[in-house]
Amino acid sequence: MSEAHHSQRNIRRTVIGCAALVVGMVGLAYASVPLYDLFCKVTGFDGTPSTASNNNTKMLDRTIAVRFDANVAPGLNWRFSPETPEVKVKLGETTTVLYKVTNTGDKPTTGIATYNVQPDLAGTYFTKLECFCFTEQTIKPGETLESAVVFYVDPRLVTDSDIKDLNSITLSYTYFPSKGGRPVAEATKPTPKPIVQ
C-alpha cells in the first residue's frame, strides 16, 4: 500500500510539474514580445535606439554624419520626408531634425511610425530624447503635420572597438496604417481581385 501511495505521489508531482511547465511556457510566449522590445531598447540590439529624458554626456570634437530615411507603407496616401537628408553632428551634441508628413488622399487616415538605426551596432549609441514614433496620428486630406526627433550620438561610441571608426549612421522611419495604436499588417497586403468568368 505504501508503495502504491508513493507511486501515486510521484505521478501527481510529475503532472503538477508538467502543468507548471506548460503554464510557464505560455506565460513566456505572451511576455516574449514586450521582453524582446525592452531588451532591444536597453541594449540597442537590432538597431533599436535607446531613449533618455536628457543628455548628460560630454560633447566631443569628433563629428559623425546622421542620415534620415523616410518611408510610407502601402495603404497610406501620405508623403513623408525629413527637412534635411543628412546632418553632421558632434558626438554628444543634442540635435533636432524636423519631419513633414502630408495626407495626399481624399479622406482622413491614421498611421503610426516605427524606426530603426543602421548599422545595427550603432543603435546602442543613438539616443532619442524626443520622437514621434509609436504615436498614432490621424491626418485630414491635404493636412501637413510637422514632427521632431531630438537625439544625440553617445560619445561612448569611440570606445567600442567594433564601430569606433564609424563615420555615418542612418535613422530610418516607416509610417504604417494603424488602428488602436498598432500597425495594421492587413492594410499592406494586396486586395484580392474578383475572378471574372
Side-chain angles (χ1 to χ4, degrees), residues 79-185:
R79 186 174 55 245
F80 177 46
S81 62
E83 68 176 341
T84 181
E86 179 179 305
V87 294
K88 293 197 186 281
V89 298
K90 291 183 178 182
L91 295 182
E93 174 184 13
T94 299
T95 305
T96 302
V97 172
L98 297 174
Y99 280 79
K100 285 186 180 177
V101 61
T102 302
N103 182 349
T104 60
D106 58 358
K107 62 182 180 178
T109 50
T110 303
I112 195 165
T114 62
Y115 63 88
N116 76 346
V117 170
Q118 293 299 320
D120 288 346
L121 293 174
T124 304
Y125 304 103
F126 191 91
T127 305
K128 293 186 306 173
L129 299 171
E130 183 181 318
C131 181
F132 54 90
C133 49
F134 300 115
T135 302
E136 201 171 50
Q137 296 184 358
T138 300
I139 306 176
K140 297 175 189 169
E143 183 180 14
T144 297
L145 295 179
E146 201 169 63
S147 301
V149 59
V150 181
F151 67 93
Y152 66 92
V153 180
D154 196 311
R156 292 178 304 129
L157 179 139
V158 298
T159 63
D160 187 325
S161 61
D162 292 325
I163 58 171
K164 66 181 180 182
D165 297 322
L166 186 68
N167 58 14
S168 71
I169 295 174
T170 300
L171 175 62
S172 181
Y173 283 101
T174 302
Y175 262 108
F176 291 93
S178 71
K179 185 174 184 178
R182 312 272 305 163
V184 179

Side-chain angles (χ1 to χ4, degrees), residues 30-73:
Y30 278 105
S32 64
V33 171
L35 289 174
Y36 179 75
D37 185 48
L38 177 64
F39 172 76
C40 289
K41 286 179 180 175
V42 169
T43 65
F45 181 74
D46 200 25
T48 304
S50 57
T51 57
S53 57
N54 55 29
N55 182 356
N56 294 325
T57 63
K58 183 179 178 184
M59 191 169 22
L60 302 180
D61 281 334
R62 174 156 170 219
T63 60
I64 190 165
V66 179
R67 296 183 181 125
F68 303 98
D69 180 40
N71 305 285
V72 178

Side-chain angles (χ1 to χ4, degrees), residues 1-15:
M1 184 94 143
S2 69
E3 189 173 315
H5 180 66
H6 181 60
S7 180
Q8 200 173 29
R9 191 167 32 163
N10 284 343
I11 291 172
R12 189 176 307 133
R13 282 183 182 167
T14 302
V15 169

